[in-house]
């Protein structure tokens, strides 16, 4: 059986829906969540991001931190810098934009889009 992020990455988008339309969504995984609150396109290939990261562990209340980041629109690659300078993530959105892989210190975190159409497809 496929994991939720694997199934979400396989959901086809309608022809008029491009992957970057999901940027303003909320992405969640077992211990990590990310919400992009603002994306400002700087050039044809580059956008600056701002939002929040949520960390939760074993049912505890989440720790919420602000982040800034950058997105390469053509390659779907993202970098995320928390307010703590030692915490830095890099990653990439899936082709359909519904799954985001974030890496820090060699460990990958797979988080998927929490939005009505994606959740309906996953159930």
């Amino acid at each position: 059986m496929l994991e939720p992020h694997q199934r979400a990455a396989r959901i086809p988008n309608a022809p008029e829906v491009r992957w970057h339309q999901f940027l303003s969504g909320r992405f969640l995984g077992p211990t990590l969540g990310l919400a992009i609150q603002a994306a400002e396109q700087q050039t044809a290939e580059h956008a600056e991001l701002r939002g929040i990261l949520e960390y939760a562990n074993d049912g505890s209340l989440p720790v919420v931190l602000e982040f800034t980041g950058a997105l390469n629109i053509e390659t779907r690659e993202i970098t995320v810098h928390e307010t703590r300078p030692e915490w830095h993530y890099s990653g990439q959105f899936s082709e359909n934009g519904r799954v985001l892989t974030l890496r820090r210190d060699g460990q990958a975190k797979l988080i998927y889009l929490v939005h009505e159409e994606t959740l309906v497809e996953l159930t």
Side-chain angles (χ1 to χ4, degrees):
M1 175 150 226
L2 296 175
E3 295 290 325
H5 66 272
Q6 294 168 318
R7 294 193 334 255
R10 293 179 181 209
I11 297 171
N13 291 341
E16 69 278 2
V17 176
R18 302 196 31 129
W19 74 269
H20 54 76
Q21 290 179 262
F22 296 117
L23 281 180
S24 62
R26 187 168 178 231
F27 293 81
L28 286 178
T31 61
L32 180 68
L34 178 137
I36 297 173
Q37 296 172 324
E40 185 177 318
Q41 191 165 350
Q42 304 292 313
T43 68
E45 295 179 0
H46 178 79
E48 295 293 321
L49 307 175
R50 188 174 41 80
I52 58 171
L53 281 169
E54 300 175 31
Y55 297 96
N57 198 7
D58 297 328
S60 63
L61 290 174
V63 175
V64 179
L65 300 168
E66 293 181 339
F67 76 84
T68 59
L71 172 68
N72 182 314
I73 297 166
E74 289 191 9
T75 64
R76 301 178 318 279
E77 292 175 5
I78 185 174
T79 58
V80 173
H81 306 275
E82 288 185 23
T83 50
R84 299 181 202 178
E86 71 273 11
W87 290 23
H88 168 85
Y89 290 91
S90 62
Q92 188 173 28
F93 284 94
S94 63
E95 253 185 73
N96 67 358
R98 296 172 193 255
V99 177
L100 175 59
T101 304
L102 289 177
R103 290 177 197 79
R104 181 173 71 99
D105 298 332
Q107 293 184 329
K109 303 276 187 186
L110 296 159
I111 57 180
Y112 58 89
L113 181 67
V114 177
H115 114 289
E116 188 174 332
E117 180 183 316
T118 302
L119 292 176
V120 166
E121 291 284 335
L122 292 177
T123 57

